[in-house]
């Protein structure tokens, strides 16, 4: 259709819809495309300038500059068309530009004022206000990156939809996106140990294992610079890169099966001489905010435990969630439980490190302070999406022990300084009788035992994610999830609290 025959906002809706239908790319059915376009045109009929911008953009294939074309943002950010839900900017970009577009491949142009990612009350759906950041032909598994700071995983916004495929990773590593992807390695073979972690080899292989030395960077350094090459995920077979987590105390081998192998940095003694607990972890299963069933304890004699959606009640090294009943279970929870499938496998290594392998056909979402730190994020600032077949480390006992020592020491020192400030013993340019310093110290002094216990806990949800970029703001709003208490870490925390008790903060009166 030539530009001279292009309709305007003053024309009837039917004429506008017919014109815009002529420019669709054919990825959707004609019925769906027509309903989506009709819905959009009706929403824009009272905003003639935006409707004219849409018509110009579509009929000229973006050859002429156009303004934002906005509709209201829904509560969950998605738009329902013909019984299907999707992000509005994705729906219309698929219709008119890239029919094979994946949901997390869009990045808005700089001049778009109402882009979906900006979280405004209105959302721009102009297809020419978005660029595609991943081409379908790119093999992400061989992606080579150079970074100035450790940043594991890829930032994304999407989760698995029951009626769709798991999205591809995005190339956008912006910190405004809160979910970090960990896809599986594309190469075959058994998983290897990233970061120089001691491996377990069979006796016949142990004698030929090669060792390497790695430069060390202080764990507490937030601005350390390292240049590194990696696959597109924090997964097995990833090349080693510089960081401060190089060694872990190896597990005792099952008799006649495995021997621990150490690199040439040498064997590290246990953090504590206290005997290991009888159970290395306990797992509680939740549906929304309600615990279902009893807590499952994993004995230290079995370092590997599987959590799946099946119904075997035998216990031991397998926690089957399918056998658990809940009178308050909703249809949505039941649907989600059907997708747990083979679930996950947790593996305790060394003195208390933990690795997870996703056995399910669908992703799991993990809250891990260790992965937060490795990705350069603040603790609790990210949700980590673990893809099917991925195998990654989610907990480091030595890092956790250092962190609990630092936080306990900080809280103790802050409480003492707060008391001195209240008494007026800390002069300062901004102080008035010591009140201002006392207020500034109150947050650090308020660190309690519960804050430190969180360092010793992992949380994982099946199928559905949570966080700032999801309809669910908390894991307690996800349909099925587990909480894992790591007993060796809790044991070490108990020792820290005995040697460095946290006093109650002084009241500001």
């Amino acid at each position: 259709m030539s530009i001279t025959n292009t309709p305007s906002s003053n024309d009837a809706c039917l004429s506008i819809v017919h014109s815009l239908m002529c420019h669709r790319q054919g990825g959707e059915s004609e019925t769906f495309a027509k309903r989506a376009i009709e819905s959009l045109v009706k929403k824009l009929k009272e905003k003639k300038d935006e409707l004219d911008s849409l018509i110009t953009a579509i009929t000229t294939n973006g050859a002429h500059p156009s303004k934002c074309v906005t509709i209201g943002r829904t509560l969950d950010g998605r738009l329902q068309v013909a019984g299907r839900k999707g992000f509005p900017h994705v729906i219309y970009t698929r219709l008119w530009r890239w029919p094979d577009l994946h949901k997390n491949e869009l990045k808005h142009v700089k001049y778009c004022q109402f882009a979906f990612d900006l979280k405004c009350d209105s959302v721009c759906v102009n297809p020419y206000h978005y660029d595609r950041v991943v081409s379908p032909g790119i093999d992400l598994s061989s992606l080579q990156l150079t970074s100035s700071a450790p940043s594991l995983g890829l930032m994304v916004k999407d989760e698995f939809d029951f009626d769709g495929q798991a999205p591809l990773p995005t190339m956008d590593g912006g910190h405004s996106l809160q979910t970090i992807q960990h896809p599986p390695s594309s190469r075959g073979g058994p998983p290897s140990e990233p970061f120089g972690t001691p491996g377990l080899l069979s006796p016949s292989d142990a004698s030929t294992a090669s060792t390497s030395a790695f430069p060390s960077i202080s764990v507490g350094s937030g601005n350390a610079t390292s240049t590194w090459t990696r696959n597109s995920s924090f997964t097995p077979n990833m090349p080693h890169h510089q960081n401060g987590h190089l060694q872990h105390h190896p597990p005792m081998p099952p008799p006649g099966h495995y021997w621990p192998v150490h690199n040439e940095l040498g064997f590290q003694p246990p953090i504590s001489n206290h005997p290991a607990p009888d159970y290395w972890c306990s797992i509680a299963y939740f549906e929304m905010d309600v615990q279902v069933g009893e807590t499952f304890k994993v004995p230290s004699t079995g370092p590997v435990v599987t959590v799946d959606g099946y119904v075997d009640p035998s216990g031991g090294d397998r926690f089957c969630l399918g056998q658990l009943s809940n009178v308050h279970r909703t249809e949505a929870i039941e649907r989600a439980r059907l997708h747990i499938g083979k679930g996950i496998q947790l593996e305790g290594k060394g003195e208390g490190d933990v690795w997870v392998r996703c056995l399910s056909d669908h992703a799991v979402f993990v809250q891990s302070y260790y992965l937060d730190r490795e990705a350069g994020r603040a603790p609790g600032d990210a949700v980590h999406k673990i893809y099917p077949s991925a195998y990654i480390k989610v907990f480091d006992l030595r890092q956790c022990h250092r962190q609990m020592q630092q936080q306990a020491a900080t809280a103790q020192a802050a409480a003492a300084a707060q008391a001195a400030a209240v008494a007026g013993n800390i002069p300062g340019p901004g102080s008035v009788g010591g009140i201002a310093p006392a207020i500034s110290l109150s947050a650090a002094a308020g660190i309690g035992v519960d804050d430190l216990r969180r360092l010793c806990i992992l949380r994982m949800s099946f199928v559905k994610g949570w966080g700032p970029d999801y309809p669910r703001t908390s894991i307690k709003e996800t349909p099925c999830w587990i909480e894992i208490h790591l007993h060796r870490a809790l044991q070490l925390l108990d020792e820290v609290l005995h040697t460095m008790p946290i006093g109650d903060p002084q009241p500001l009166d």
Side-chain angles (χ1 to χ4, degrees):
M1 182 179 292
S2 66
I3 296 179
T4 55
N5 294 329
T6 299
S8 73
S9 58
N10 294 319
D11 291 317
C13 287
L14 188 62
S15 300
I16 299 173
V17 170
H18 176 75
S19 174
L20 297 179
M21 280 285 289
C22 294
H23 293 269
R24 66 188 180 91
Q25 296 299 306
E28 300 286 359
S29 68
E30 183 175 350
T31 301
F32 178 86
K34 187 174 181 180
R35 289 192 185 180
I37 295 172
E38 284 176 345
S39 172
L40 180 59
V41 170
K42 288 178 181 177
K43 287 183 173 73
L44 298 175
K45 199 58 180 169
E46 301 302 320
K47 298 187 286 186
K48 294 185 180 297
D49 57 335
E50 293 188 20
L51 183 52
D52 282 328
S53 289
L54 175 69
I55 295 170
T56 299
I58 301 307
T59 57
T60 64
N61 295 323
H64 296 283
S66 54
K67 299 178 181 178
C68 285
V69 178
T70 62
I71 61 174
R73 179 184 290 271
T74 60
L75 288 176
D76 66 355
R78 295 185 293 177
L79 179 69
Q80 182 162 330
V81 177
R84 289 166 49 188
K85 270 195 168 187
F87 296 117
H89 63 310
V90 175
I91 289 176
Y92 292 108
T93 306
R94 280 176 179 163
L95 275 179
W96 285 309
R97 295 193 71 183
W98 301 294
D100 61 343
L101 179 75
H102 286 273
K103 292 179 290 185
N104 56 320
E105 290 183 344
L106 290 182
K107 182 178 181 181
H108 65 85
V109 296
K110 293 181 179 180
Y111 52 82
C112 183
Q113 299 178 336
F114 297 95
F116 182 84
D117 291 343
L118 299 181
K119 305 294 179 65
C120 301
D121 290 338
S122 297
V123 177
C124 178
V125 295
N126 187 334
Y128 293 93
H129 277 203
Y130 295 90
D131 291 327
R132 192 173 188 178
V133 293
V134 175
S135 298
I138 290 181
D139 179 10
L140 294 176
S141 63
S142 61
L143 183 66
Q144 304 292 309
L145 298 178
T146 300
S147 174
S148 60
S151 179
L152 299 178
L154 301 172
M155 308 299 179
V156 297
K157 292 172 68 67
D158 287 305
E159 64 183 319
F160 175 81
D161 286 328
F162 289 127
D163 58 351
Q165 299 296 319
L168 289 175
T170 176
M171 297 286 288
D172 184 3
H175 278 253
S176 63
L177 304 180
Q178 303 296 314
T179 302
I180 301 176
Q181 282 186 327
H182 301 270
S185 171
S186 63
R187 287 180 285 176
S192 60
E193 302 259 6
F195 307 142
T197 308
L200 288 177
L201 298 182
S202 64
S204 61
D205 297 333
S207 61
T208 59
S210 61
T211 57
S212 302
F214 303 93
S216 176
I217 294 177
S218 170
V219 173
S221 174
N223 55 0
T225 300
S226 61
T227 301
W228 51 286
T229 304
R230 62 171 173 85
N231 285 334
S232 64
S233 61
F234 177 20
T235 55
N237 300 314
M238 185 173 71
H240 297 295
H241 75 82
Q242 297 174 346
N243 71 22
H245 322 300
L246 301 178
Q247 296 177 308
H248 306 285
H249 182 55
M252 292 302 293
H257 289 282
Y258 297 96
W259 294 98
V261 176
H262 313 299
N263 60 37
E264 60 189 39
L265 290 178
F267 170 75
Q268 285 186 320
I271 299 173
S272 169
N273 292 324
H274 196 283
D278 293 335
Y279 300 93
W280 72 268
C281 78
S282 56
I283 307 171
Y285 169 64
F286 293 82
E287 293 176 358
M288 307 297 280
D289 60 350
V290 177
Q291 181 174 348
V292 178
E294 297 181 357
T295 300
F296 184 88
K297 293 184 178 180
V298 184
S300 295
T301 54
V304 177
V305 60
T306 300
V307 183
D308 60 38
Y310 303 127
V311 295
D312 187 350
S314 59
D317 62 352
R318 187 175 166 203
F319 184 20
C320 294
L321 306 180
Q323 62 170 322
L324 303 177
S325 60
N326 178 10
V327 295
H328 302 294
R329 184 171 293 151
T330 64
E331 184 179 347
I333 294 174
E334 192 62 65
R335 284 200 307 271
R337 280 167 53 84
L338 292 174
H339 291 271
I340 296 174
K342 295 180 181 179
I344 60 160
Q345 190 177 74
L346 295 169
E347 183 175 357
K349 290 191 176 185
E351 192 178 352
D353 298 343
V354 180
W355 291 64
V356 64
R357 186 191 307 274
C358 181
L359 304 176
S360 174
D361 291 334
H362 307 305
V364 295
F365 296 80
V366 180
Q367 183 182 67
S368 162
Y369 288 176
Y370 169 76
L371 289 179
D372 291 344
R373 186 160 188 158
E374 292 300 300
R377 308 300 291 263
D381 187 43
V383 179
H384 301 267
K385 183 174 184 178
I386 313 300
Y387 274 79
S389 301
Y391 176 69
I392 71 167
K393 185 177 183 179
V394 293
F395 182 81
D396 184 292
L397 184 67
R398 291 186 182 276
Q399 183 194 88
C400 176
H401 186 242
R402 285 191 294 267
Q403 202 167 354
M404 63 176 67
Q405 285 179 316
Q406 292 167 0
Q407 289 195 15
T410 298
Q412 189 179 35
Q418 182 185 14
V422 170
N425 295 332
I426 300 181
S431 65
V432 180
I435 297 302
I439 294 174
S440 66
L441 290 167
S442 62
I447 297 175
V449 174
D450 286 344
D451 298 292
L452 296 175
R453 283 184 71 253
R454 292 190 188 100
L455 300 175
C456 311
I457 295 172
L458 295 169
R459 286 176 163 182
M460 302 183 190
S461 70
F462 296 95
V463 182
K464 289 294 182 180
W466 78 96
D469 301 300
Y470 295 97
R472 297 161 293 277
T473 59
S474 164
I475 193 172
K476 294 183 179 180
E477 297 173 19
T478 61
C480 41
W481 58 281
I482 55 175
E483 184 172 86
I484 304 150
H485 291 241
L486 303 173
H487 292 190
R488 184 60 168 173
L490 290 166
Q491 193 179 57
L492 295 178
L493 175 58
D494 188 66
E495 291 184 7
V496 169
L497 294 177
H498 274 88
T499 58
M500 194 183 298
I502 301 176
D504 292 332
Q506 301 296 320
L508 298 176
D509 53 11

